[in-house]
Amino acid sequence: MAIERDPRPSAAVAAPRRLAHLNLSFLTDRRLRHMLALIGHRLSLGLPRPGDGVAVWGASPVAWRGQALAARSGAPLVRLEDAFLRSIRPGRLGDAPLGLIVDPLGVHFDPAAPSLVEHFLTHDPLDNSHLLARSRVGIDRLKTLNLSKYNIHDPDLPPPPPGYVLVIDQVAGDASVRASAATQATFDEMLAVAQEDHPRAPILIKTHPETARGLRPGHYGPRHAQGRVQLVTAPHSPWALLDGAIAVYTVSSQLGFEAILAGHRPQVWGHPFYAGWGLTADRTPPPRRGRKLTPAQLFAAAMILAPSWIDPCRDRLCSFEEAVDQLEAEVCAFRQDRRGHVAAGVRAWKRSHLRAFFGTVKPLIFKSDPTEAAALAAARGRSLLLWAGKEPPGFPAPALRIEDGFLRSRGLGADLIPPLSLVTDDLGIYYDPSRPSRLESLLLTPPPPGGRARAEALLDRLIAAALTKYNLGGVPPALPEGRRILVPGQVEDDASIRLGCVDIATNLALLQAARAANPDAVILYKPHPDVEAGLRPGALPQAETLADAVLIRADMATLLPQIDEVWTLTSLTGFEALIRGKQVTTLGVPFYAGWGLTRDLGAVPQRRLRRPDGSLQPRPDLIRLVHAALIGYPRYHDPVSGRPCPPEVILDRLAGGAIPGPGPGNRLLARLQGRLRRHARLWRE
């Protein structure tokens, strides 16, 4: 189900459209100006005109100039602040925010005046069941994905042993600390009280990410780390730290908000937006507040109602859920790439595209020989990227195997069209049934919170837009009447056939088997596009004698709605038919076989049928298959913005045609490749 755009604030609390300012940094920050334009505001340097507001950034050191201008002119003051789900790295390292809070009332961390967040927490009923359901799913998603305001932490880093008290540090001079009238003495007192309250428990001080990176000092340092008090400077997941804590102490950190979402009742020494609603133990209760709220209601106001979220790929406002989709894609890519990679087995024309996928954190290093690449990766603390199928027999080194994803491009890889999606697999690879793959692992795991609804919406959009792996386009062919069985031909030296087929492993044998089992059906044979182009083996001159029609250059998306069944070896066409409600018979072992969704005549691995203890494996349904294959397994790269992106962006690109071409070099190489197609094995090797 698609999520509607989140409602804008009512007219009573809406900010003026035109915002005057005296901040030179607003002039140079094009991203901020553009984000405000998408939200509906225009920045203008100088004095306000009638109906204008005056914009300042939060409570920055130069905000006083805008405050004075607003006071003199009588124009409303509008404060801008980052939303609570910001970016991978802190803004001081250059990352733009994913959302803004445009606040005409105050600022969320300053209790001197109500803020937009407080307005929603005070005046909105917060009883809409749909809104609260979104909140609960949103909370669970952030926990499951290990997402926070900043996301340079490492979820794979083992947390300290549980049973500790977590004391949260903040950067010295932070505006939220000043607004709470907190000082160094406040932090010292908070630490002392935490020790008194818990005389036997370890005390862990969580250092702020900017302090840990040397960007700004905090309130705690080595002098505080004595006895059972320890500083935690390693990039642990905030959610993992909260999970192991028995108590949480904070002045005004956002981590206190996340502590509430994690089930804590944090001790709060300042006046952050989340204090005073019955969810915290407040040292000094904030003024005005007293309503009793649930964590879902708090989350709804702070994450859904108050912020304006921006989709940086599609360059538009978006919902909270879409913002999480985007941040998930970027953070997952960052976490996989943060230590860098050495890549092997990659053809020259693909290397620039792999750099765009995997080389934005640290540049990729390419080696031709996998053994040399593995040694270099180990020496430099990097991971090994290995194009699937280029792995030598018995290769011992751990590797991330790469292959094209299932929503690949508009055009063929054989024509050197770059992919929009790639899969990475640390266990095996999806087309090799002889060993487990990461895709199999995902299929045996329920989708994460919100995953089923997201997969259902993605599937509906994919079918409505008539999208497949290659999206070649074309006019629907005129087909003979009757029960139509589509038999998709494949490249006969394809790895999925070599590894996934036993008794029947050629296009001819497949077509003969389909005809023998269905003598009265209309058999439609479609050659593989690479075979049609003469670039790969698998041509079948006998097809016309066995099939009722041979479909040359037919578009799969227009063909599938007209057929009743698919017979295939291991083709992705079987998956594309399956998700469109068609019956599928497999004679090999593709990734979608053996789960109870297809009629399988091939040798399905026993592990897909039964657990090691002999009990039956759980049967993933179609929606779990869609989530695993199209959301959980691949990585996507937006060719327009150049960013990692969720699959929904790629659907928009493929449906709208907003995809840059392969480039003049690739076009020239593809034409040369076509002229030398009889010798294709030379460059494929």
Side-chain angles (χ1 to χ4, degrees), residues 297-339:
Q297 290 173 315
L298 178 67
F299 188 92
M303 300 296 260
I304 298 177
L305 297 178
S308 296
W309 297 104
I310 308 294
D311 183 332
C313 293
R314 290 174 282 198
D315 198 31
R316 58 167 173 77
L317 289 177
C318 67
S319 67
F320 163 76
E321 289 80 3
E322 290 169 315
V324 176
D325 294 344
Q326 178 63 35
L327 188 59
E328 176 188 2
E330 296 193 10
V331 169
C332 287
F334 171 79
R335 289 171 181 167
Q336 194 169 63
D337 302 341
R338 66 193 305 165
R339 293 177 180 84

mmCIF file of all heavy atoms in Angstrom, residues 297-339:
data_model
loop_
_atom_site.group_PDB
_atom_site.id
_atom_site.type_symbol
_atom_site.label_atom_id
_atom_site.label_comp_id
_atom_site.label_asym_id
_atom_site.label_seq_id
_atom_site.Cartn_x
_atom_site.Cartn_y
_atom_site.Cartn_z
ATOM 1 N N GLN A 297 2.919 7.884 19.975
ATOM 2 C CA GLN A 297 2.428 9.249 19.792
ATOM 3 C C GLN A 297 3.586 10.244 19.723
ATOM 4 O O GLN A 297 3.582 11.168 18.902
ATOM 5 C CB GLN A 297 1.472 9.613 20.931
ATOM 6 C CG GLN A 297 0.145 8.868 20.878
ATOM 7 C CD GLN A 297 -0.701 9.119 22.111
ATOM 8 O OE1 GLN A 297 -0.201 9.075 23.244
ATOM 9 N NE2 GLN A 297 -1.990 9.367 21.910
ATOM 10 N N LEU A 298 4.567 10.066 20.595
ATOM 11 C CA LEU A 298 5.752 10.922 20.561
ATOM 12 C C LEU A 298 6.446 10.818 19.208
ATOM 13 O O LEU A 298 6.831 11.826 18.593
ATOM 14 C CB LEU A 298 6.702 10.512 21.687
ATOM 15 C CG LEU A 298 8.026 11.270 21.792
ATOM 16 C CD1 LEU A 298 7.791 12.717 22.184
ATOM 17 C CD2 LEU A 298 8.949 10.588 22.805
ATOM 18 N N PHE A 299 6.585 9.598 18.729
ATOM 19 C CA PHE A 299 7.250 9.354 17.447
ATOM 20 C C PHE A 299 6.455 9.982 16.301
ATOM 21 O O PHE A 299 7.036 10.566 15.376
ATOM 22 C CB PHE A 299 7.389 7.847 17.234
ATOM 23 C CG PHE A 299 8.216 7.459 16.043
ATOM 24 C CD1 PHE A 299 9.572 7.240 16.174
ATOM 25 C CD2 PHE A 299 7.640 7.274 14.797
ATOM 26 C CE1 PHE A 299 10.345 6.858 15.086
ATOM 27 C CE2 PHE A 299 8.393 6.897 13.696
ATOM 28 C CZ PHE A 299 9.756 6.685 13.846
ATOM 29 N N ALA A 300 5.139 9.877 16.349
ATOM 30 C CA ALA A 300 4.297 10.424 15.280
ATOM 31 C C ALA A 300 4.522 11.916 15.116
ATOM 32 O O ALA A 300 4.649 12.426 13.992
ATOM 33 C CB ALA A 300 2.826 10.122 15.556
ATOM 34 N N ALA A 301 4.565 12.632 16.227
ATOM 35 C CA ALA A 301 4.753 14.078 16.154
ATOM 36 C C ALA A 301 6.156 14.438 15.684
ATOM 37 O O ALA A 301 6.337 15.309 14.828
ATOM 38 C CB ALA A 301 4.469 14.710 17.514
ATOM 39 N N ALA A 302 7.156 13.763 16.248
ATOM 40 C CA ALA A 302 8.545 14.143 15.992
ATOM 41 C C ALA A 302 9.059 13.680 14.635
ATOM 42 O O ALA A 302 9.913 14.353 14.030
ATOM 43 C CB ALA A 302 9.446 13.581 17.091
ATOM 44 N N MET A 303 8.552 12.550 14.130
ATOM 45 C CA MET A 303 9.127 11.965 12.920
ATOM 46 C C MET A 303 8.207 12.014 11.702
ATOM 47 O O MET A 303 8.696 11.939 10.573
ATOM 48 C CB MET A 303 9.511 10.501 13.190
ATOM 49 C CG MET A 303 10.528 10.337 14.298
ATOM 50 S SD MET A 303 12.115 11.079 13.899
ATOM 51 C CE MET A 303 13.049 9.650 13.400
ATOM 52 N N ILE A 304 6.909 12.126 11.935
ATOM 53 C CA ILE A 304 5.979 12.089 10.810
ATOM 54 C C ILE A 304 5.312 13.443 10.572
ATOM 55 O O ILE A 304 5.261 13.927 9.435
ATOM 56 C CB ILE A 304 4.917 10.988 11.021
ATOM 57 C CG1 ILE A 304 5.596 9.614 11.096
ATOM 58 C CG2 ILE A 304 3.873 11.011 9.918
ATOM 59 C CD1 ILE A 304 4.654 8.453 11.374
ATOM 60 N N LEU A 305 4.817 14.086 11.632
ATOM 61 C CA LEU A 305 4.027 15.301 11.459
ATOM 62 C C LEU A 305 4.875 16.566 11.340
ATOM 63 O O LEU A 305 4.592 17.419 10.492
ATOM 64 C CB LEU A 305 3.040 15.448 12.620
ATOM 65 C CG LEU A 305 1.987 14.352 12.749
ATOM 66 C CD1 LEU A 305 1.105 14.598 13.968
ATOM 67 C CD2 LEU A 305 1.148 14.250 11.487
ATOM 68 N N ALA A 306 5.890 16.714 12.171
ATOM 69 C CA ALA A 306 6.628 17.975 12.204
ATOM 70 C C ALA A 306 7.649 18.133 11.072
ATOM 71 O O ALA A 306 7.758 19.218 10.503
ATOM 72 C CB ALA A 306 7.320 18.146 13.560
ATOM 73 N N PRO A 307 8.424 17.117 10.705
ATOM 74 C CA PRO A 307 9.469 17.329 9.692
ATOM 75 C C PRO A 307 8.914 17.373 8.271
ATOM 76 O O PRO A 307 7.814 16.875 7.985
ATOM 77 C CB PRO A 307 10.390 16.116 9.867
ATOM 78 C CG PRO A 307 9.950 15.425 11.110
ATOM 79 C CD PRO A 307 8.509 15.762 11.287
ATOM 80 N N SER A 308 9.701 17.969 7.389
ATOM 81 C CA SER A 308 9.502 17.859 5.941
ATOM 82 C C SER A 308 10.640 16.994 5.414
ATOM 83 O O SER A 308 11.816 17.353 5.553
ATOM 84 C CB SER A 308 9.533 19.238 5.275
ATOM 85 O OG SER A 308 8.462 20.033 5.712
ATOM 86 N N TRP A 309 10.296 15.863 4.829
ATOM 87 C CA TRP A 309 11.297 14.923 4.339
ATOM 88 C C TRP A 309 11.499 15.123 2.841
ATOM 89 O O TRP A 309 10.542 15.362 2.097
ATOM 90 C CB TRP A 309 10.871 13.487 4.628
ATOM 91 C CG TRP A 309 10.750 13.195 6.093
ATOM 92 C CD1 TRP A 309 9.598 13.093 6.813
ATOM 93 C CD2 TRP A 309 11.813 12.991 7.022
ATOM 94 N NE1 TRP A 309 9.868 12.829 8.138
ATOM 95 C CE2 TRP A 309 11.220 12.763 8.293
ATOM 96 C CE3 TRP A 309 13.201 12.981 6.914
ATOM 97 C CZ2 TRP A 309 11.996 12.524 9.425
ATOM 98 C CZ3 TRP A 309 13.964 12.741 8.049
ATOM 99 C CH2 TRP A 309 13.368 12.513 9.278
ATOM 100 N N ILE A 310 12.737 14.987 2.400
ATOM 101 C CA ILE A 310 13.110 15.237 1.009
ATOM 102 C C ILE A 310 13.682 13.966 0.396
ATOM 103 O O ILE A 310 14.545 13.317 0.999
ATOM 104 C CB ILE A 310 14.156 16.365 0.899
ATOM 105 C CG1 ILE A 310 13.707 17.611 1.655
ATOM 106 C CG2 ILE A 310 14.437 16.687 -0.568
ATOM 107 C CD1 ILE A 310 12.490 18.287 1.100
ATOM 108 N N ASP A 311 13.206 13.614 -0.785
ATOM 109 C CA ASP A 311 13.765 12.506 -1.552
ATOM 110 C C ASP A 311 14.878 13.071 -2.435
ATOM 111 O O ASP A 311 14.595 13.778 -3.407
ATOM 112 C CB ASP A 311 12.671 11.862 -2.408
ATOM 113 C CG ASP A 311 13.159 10.647 -3.178
ATOM 114 O OD1 ASP A 311 14.351 10.585 -3.495
ATOM 115 O OD2 ASP A 311 12.334 9.767 -3.470
ATOM 116 N N PRO A 312 16.162 12.796 -2.138
ATOM 117 C CA PRO A 312 17.242 13.418 -2.905
ATOM 118 C C PRO A 312 17.416 12.835 -4.301
ATOM 119 O O PRO A 312 18.067 13.458 -5.141
ATOM 120 C CB PRO A 312 18.483 13.148 -2.049
ATOM 121 C CG PRO A 312 18.157 11.890 -1.311
ATOM 122 C CD PRO A 312 16.672 11.937 -1.058
ATOM 123 N N CYS A 313 16.870 11.668 -4.562
ATOM 124 C CA CYS A 313 16.969 11.076 -5.897
ATOM 125 C C CYS A 313 15.887 11.620 -6.818
ATOM 126 O O CYS A 313 16.161 12.075 -7.933
ATOM 127 C CB CYS A 313 16.877 9.556 -5.815
ATOM 128 S SG CYS A 313 18.270 8.765 -4.991
ATOM 129 N N ARG A 314 14.647 11.598 -6.347
ATOM 130 C CA ARG A 314 13.532 12.062 -7.182
ATOM 131 C C ARG A 314 13.263 13.547 -7.022
ATOM 132 O O ARG A 314 12.377 14.087 -7.679
ATOM 133 C CB ARG A 314 12.295 11.218 -6.874
ATOM 134 C CG ARG A 314 12.444 9.790 -7.376
ATOM 135 C CD ARG A 314 11.313 8.877 -6.966
ATOM 136 N NE ARG A 314 11.434 8.444 -5.580
ATOM 137 C CZ ARG A 314 10.803 7.392 -5.065
ATOM 138 N NH1 ARG A 314 10.013 6.665 -5.844
ATOM 139 N NH2 ARG A 314 10.970 7.053 -3.798
ATOM 140 N N ASP A 315 14.033 14.197 -6.132
ATOM 141 C CA ASP A 315 14.012 15.644 -5.985
ATOM 142 C C ASP A 315 12.609 16.168 -5.710
ATOM 143 O O ASP A 315 12.082 17.025 -6.419
ATOM 144 C CB ASP A 315 14.576 16.308 -7.252
ATOM 145 C CG ASP A 315 14.974 17.753 -6.994
ATOM 146 O OD1 ASP A 315 15.368 18.070 -5.866
ATOM 147 O OD2 ASP A 315 14.864 18.576 -7.926
ATOM 148 N N ARG A 316 12.021 15.654 -4.636
ATOM 149 C CA ARG A 316 10.670 16.057 -4.262
ATOM 150 C C ARG A 316 10.464 15.791 -2.784
ATOM 151 O O ARG A 316 11.252 15.097 -2.144
ATOM 152 C CB ARG A 316 9.629 15.299 -5.073
ATOM 153 C CG ARG A 316 9.713 13.763 -4.951
ATOM 154 C CD ARG A 316 8.480 13.111 -5.507
ATOM 155 N NE ARG A 316 8.540 11.668 -5.581
ATOM 156 C CZ ARG A 316 8.398 10.823 -4.563
ATOM 157 N NH1 ARG A 316 8.257 11.287 -3.339
ATOM 158 N NH2 ARG A 316 8.420 9.513 -4.758
ATOM 159 N N LEU A 317 9.381 16.357 -2.245
ATOM 160 C CA LEU A 317 8.980 15.992 -0.901
ATOM 161 C C LEU A 317 8.588 14.523 -0.864
ATOM 162 O O LEU A 317 8.125 13.967 -1.873
ATOM 163 C CB LEU A 317 7.791 16.846 -0.451
ATOM 164 C CG LEU A 317 8.048 18.327 -0.156
ATOM 165 C CD1 LEU A 317 6.736 19.015 0.196
ATOM 166 C CD2 LEU A 317 9.035 18.484 0.983
ATOM 167 N N CYS A 318 8.756 13.903 0.282
ATOM 168 C CA CYS A 318 8.389 12.500 0.381
ATOM 169 C C CYS A 318 7.868 12.218 1.782
ATOM 170 O O CYS A 318 7.923 13.070 2.674
ATOM 171 C CB CYS A 318 9.583 11.602 0.059
ATOM 172 S SG CYS A 318 10.936 11.667 1.260
ATOM 173 N N SER A 319 7.353 11.036 1.962
ATOM 174 C CA SER A 319 6.856 10.609 3.266
ATOM 175 C C SER A 319 8.017 10.164 4.155
ATOM 176 O O SER A 319 9.147 9.936 3.687
ATOM 177 C CB SER A 319 5.876 9.448 3.096
ATOM 178 O OG SER A 319 6.558 8.294 2.618
ATOM 179 N N PHE A 320 7.733 10.025 5.428
ATOM 180 C CA PHE A 320 8.733 9.502 6.359
ATOM 181 C C PHE A 320 9.222 8.132 5.894
ATOM 182 O O PHE A 320 10.424 7.846 5.915
ATOM 183 C CB PHE A 320 8.137 9.411 7.766
ATOM 184 C CG PHE A 320 8.911 8.527 8.694
ATOM 185 C CD1 PHE A 320 10.096 8.968 9.251
ATOM 186 C CD2 PHE A 320 8.462 7.248 9.003
ATOM 187 C CE1 PHE A 320 10.831 8.144 10.100
ATOM 188 C CE2 PHE A 320 9.178 6.432 9.855
ATOM 189 C CZ PHE A 320 10.371 6.878 10.406
ATOM 190 N N GLU A 321 8.309 7.271 5.471
ATOM 191 C CA GLU A 321 8.680 5.916 5.046
ATOM 192 C C GLU A 321 9.626 5.957 3.848
ATOM 193 O O GLU A 321 10.591 5.175 3.777
ATOM 194 C CB GLU A 321 7.434 5.100 4.710
ATOM 195 C CG GLU A 321 6.598 4.708 5.910
ATOM 196 C CD GLU A 321 5.691 5.812 6.431
ATOM 197 O OE1 GLU A 321 5.662 6.911 5.816
ATOM 198 O OE2 GLU A 321 5.006 5.591 7.442
ATOM 199 N N GLU A 322 9.364 6.839 2.900
ATOM 200 C CA GLU A 322 10.248 6.942 1.737
ATOM 201 C C GLU A 322 11.617 7.473 2.138
ATOM 202 O O GLU A 322 12.643 7.074 1.565
ATOM 203 C CB GLU A 322 9.610 7.844 0.685
ATOM 204 C CG GLU A 322 8.388 7.232 0.022
ATOM 205 C CD GLU A 322 7.616 8.231 -0.825
ATOM 206 O OE1 GLU A 322 7.393 9.375 -0.368
ATOM 207 O OE2 GLU A 322 7.223 7.867 -1.947
ATOM 208 N N ALA A 323 11.649 8.372 3.123
ATOM 209 C CA ALA A 323 12.933 8.861 3.625
ATOM 210 C C ALA A 323 13.727 7.723 4.258
ATOM 211 O O ALA A 323 14.954 7.623 4.075
ATOM 212 C CB ALA A 323 12.707 9.989 4.630
ATOM 213 N N VAL A 324 13.048 6.853 4.998
ATOM 214 C CA VAL A 324 13.735 5.701 5.598
ATOM 215 C C VAL A 324 14.232 4.761 4.503
ATOM 216 O O VAL A 324 15.344 4.233 4.583
ATOM 217 C CB VAL A 324 12.812 4.961 6.579
ATOM 218 C CG1 VAL A 324 13.486 3.705 7.120
ATOM 219 C CG2 VAL A 324 12.425 5.870 7.742
ATOM 220 N N ASP A 325 13.425 4.545 3.463
ATOM 221 C CA ASP A 325 13.863 3.707 2.338
ATOM 222 C C ASP A 325 15.184 4.233 1.764
ATOM 223 O O ASP A 325 16.110 3.465 1.490
ATOM 224 C CB ASP A 325 12.809 3.686 1.230
ATOM 225 C CG ASP A 325 11.519 3.008 1.637
ATOM 226 O OD1 ASP A 325 11.509 2.287 2.654
ATOM 227 O OD2 ASP A 325 10.504 3.208 0.930
ATOM 228 N N GLN A 326 15.249 5.554 1.551
ATOM 229 C CA GLN A 326 16.447 6.151 0.970
ATOM 230 C C GLN A 326 17.635 6.036 1.910
ATOM 231 O O GLN A 326 18.736 5.645 1.504
ATOM 232 C CB GLN A 326 16.189 7.623 0.630
ATOM 233 C CG GLN A 326 17.399 8.366 0.067
ATOM 234 C CD GLN A 326 17.874 7.806 -1.256
ATOM 235 O OE1 GLN A 326 17.064 7.359 -2.071
ATOM 236 N NE2 GLN A 326 19.175 7.806 -1.488
ATOM 237 N N LEU A 327 17.424 6.360 3.183
ATOM 238 C CA LEU A 327 18.522 6.286 4.137
ATOM 239 C C LEU A 327 18.992 4.842 4.301
ATOM 240 O O LEU A 327 20.201 4.579 4.425
ATOM 241 C CB LEU A 327 18.103 6.872 5.479
ATOM 242 C CG LEU A 327 19.224 7.022 6.518
ATOM 243 C CD1 LEU A 327 20.331 7.927 5.997
ATOM 244 C CD2 LEU A 327 18.678 7.550 7.836
ATOM 245 N N GLU A 328 18.066 3.906 4.287
ATOM 246 C CA GLU A 328 18.444 2.491 4.368
ATOM 247 C C GLU A 328 19.377 2.117 3.230
ATOM 248 O O GLU A 328 20.406 1.454 3.436
ATOM 249 C CB GLU A 328 17.192 1.611 4.335
ATOM 250 C CG GLU A 328 17.491 0.120 4.310
ATOM 251 C CD GLU A 328 16.250 -0.736 4.077
ATOM 252 O OE1 GLU A 328 15.158 -0.176 3.898
ATOM 253 O OE2 GLU A 328 16.397 -1.971 4.072
ATOM 254 N N ALA A 329 19.036 2.533 2.004
ATOM 255 C CA ALA A 329 19.873 2.205 0.851
ATOM 256 C C ALA A 329 21.265 2.816 0.996
ATOM 257 O O ALA A 329 22.289 2.158 0.724
ATOM 258 C CB ALA A 329 19.209 2.699 -0.430
ATOM 259 N N GLU A 330 21.335 4.061 1.429
ATOM 260 C CA GLU A 330 22.624 4.727 1.542
ATOM 261 C C GLU A 330 23.454 4.147 2.683
ATOM 262 O O GLU A 330 24.674 3.943 2.536
ATOM 263 C CB GLU A 330 22.416 6.227 1.741
ATOM 264 C CG GLU A 330 21.753 6.897 0.546
ATOM 265 C CD GLU A 330 21.821 8.416 0.614
ATOM 266 O OE1 GLU A 330 22.544 8.947 1.479
ATOM 267 O OE2 GLU A 330 21.167 9.078 -0.210
ATOM 268 N N VAL A 331 22.818 3.879 3.805
ATOM 269 C CA VAL A 331 23.558 3.363 4.958
ATOM 270 C C VAL A 331 24.035 1.936 4.702
ATOM 271 O O VAL A 331 25.166 1.574 5.051
ATOM 272 C CB VAL A 331 22.686 3.452 6.224
ATOM 273 C CG1 VAL A 331 23.313 2.671 7.378
ATOM 274 C CG2 VAL A 331 22.493 4.910 6.631
ATOM 275 N N CYS A 332 23.192 1.109 4.090
ATOM 276 C CA CYS A 332 23.617 -0.268 3.786
ATOM 277 C C CYS A 332 24.819 -0.270 2.851
ATOM 278 O O CYS A 332 25.762 -1.060 3.030
ATOM 279 C CB CYS A 332 22.457 -1.058 3.187
ATOM 280 S SG CYS A 332 21.179 -1.510 4.375
ATOM 281 N N ALA A 333 24.814 0.612 1.846
ATOM 282 C CA ALA A 333 25.959 0.715 0.943
ATOM 283 C C ALA A 333 27.199 1.194 1.697
ATOM 284 O O ALA A 333 28.300 0.656 1.517
ATOM 285 C CB ALA A 333 25.633 1.659 -0.205
ATOM 286 N N PHE A 334 27.030 2.192 2.547
ATOM 287 C CA PHE A 334 28.161 2.714 3.327
ATOM 288 C C PHE A 334 28.752 1.629 4.218
ATOM 289 O O PHE A 334 29.982 1.482 4.304
ATOM 290 C CB PHE A 334 27.690 3.900 4.166
ATOM 291 C CG PHE A 334 28.702 4.389 5.159
ATOM 292 C CD1 PHE A 334 29.760 5.188 4.759
ATOM 293 C CD2 PHE A 334 28.603 4.044 6.498
ATOM 294 C CE1 PHE A 334 30.710 5.631 5.678
ATOM 295 C CE2 PHE A 334 29.535 4.488 7.430
ATOM 296 C CZ PHE A 334 30.593 5.286 7.014
ATOM 297 N N ARG A 335 27.899 0.874 4.891
ATOM 298 C CA ARG A 335 28.399 -0.157 5.799
ATOM 299 C C ARG A 335 29.141 -1.255 5.045
ATOM 300 O O ARG A 335 30.141 -1.791 5.535
ATOM 301 C CB ARG A 335 27.243 -0.738 6.610
ATOM 302 C CG ARG A 335 26.705 0.230 7.649
ATOM 303 C CD ARG A 335 25.420 -0.260 8.291
ATOM 304 N NE ARG A 335 24.926 0.717 9.270
ATOM 305 C CZ ARG A 335 23.714 0.692 9.807
ATOM 306 N NH1 ARG A 335 22.849 -0.276 9.473
ATOM 307 N NH2 ARG A 335 23.348 1.614 10.681
ATOM 308 N N GLN A 336 28.673 -1.593 3.861
ATOM 309 C CA GLN A 336 29.348 -2.635 3.097
ATOM 310 C C GLN A 336 30.658 -2.132 2.495
ATOM 311 O O GLN A 336 31.599 -2.908 2.302
ATOM 312 C CB GLN A 336 28.427 -3.153 1.990
ATOM 313 C CG GLN A 336 28.885 -4.457 1.361
ATOM 314 C CD GLN A 336 27.837 -5.063 0.465
ATOM 315 O OE1 GLN A 336 27.453 -4.476 -0.556
ATOM 316 N NE2 GLN A 336 27.359 -6.246 0.829
ATOM 317 N N ASP A 337 30.742 -0.822 2.224
ATOM 318 C CA ASP A 337 31.892 -0.274 1.504
ATOM 319 C C ASP A 337 32.888 0.452 2.400
ATOM 320 O O ASP A 337 33.935 0.888 1.913
ATOM 321 C CB ASP A 337 31.420 0.710 0.428
ATOM 322 C CG ASP A 337 30.470 0.082 -0.575
ATOM 323 O OD1 ASP A 337 30.445 -1.151 -0.680
ATOM 324 O OD2 ASP A 337 29.748 0.837 -1.253
ATOM 325 N N ARG A 338 32.583 0.622 3.685
ATOM 326 C CA ARG A 338 33.367 1.539 4.518
ATOM 327 C C ARG A 338 34.829 1.142 4.634
ATOM 328 O O ARG A 338 35.701 2.005 4.810
ATOM 329 C CB ARG A 338 32.729 1.653 5.913
ATOM 330 C CG ARG A 338 32.771 0.387 6.733
ATOM 331 C CD ARG A 338 31.867 0.457 7.964
ATOM 332 N NE ARG A 338 32.165 1.612 8.813
ATOM 333 C CZ ARG A 338 31.355 2.055 9.771
ATOM 334 N NH1 ARG A 338 30.198 1.455 9.989
ATOM 335 N NH2 ARG A 338 31.700 3.078 10.513
ATOM 336 N N ARG A 339 35.136 -0.143 4.535
ATOM 337 C CA ARG A 339 36.531 -0.582 4.653
ATOM 338 C C ARG A 339 37.212 -0.694 3.289
ATOM 339 O O ARG A 339 38.410 -0.982 3.206
ATOM 340 C CB ARG A 339 36.603 -1.921 5.389
ATOM 341 C CG ARG A 339 36.187 -1.805 6.854
ATOM 342 C CD ARG A 339 36.193 -3.138 7.567
ATOM 343 N NE ARG A 339 35.790 -2.985 8.966
ATOM 344 C CZ ARG A 339 34.535 -2.955 9.377
ATOM 345 N NH1 ARG A 339 33.546 -3.104 8.503
ATOM 346 N NH2 ARG A 339 34.246 -2.779 10.658
#
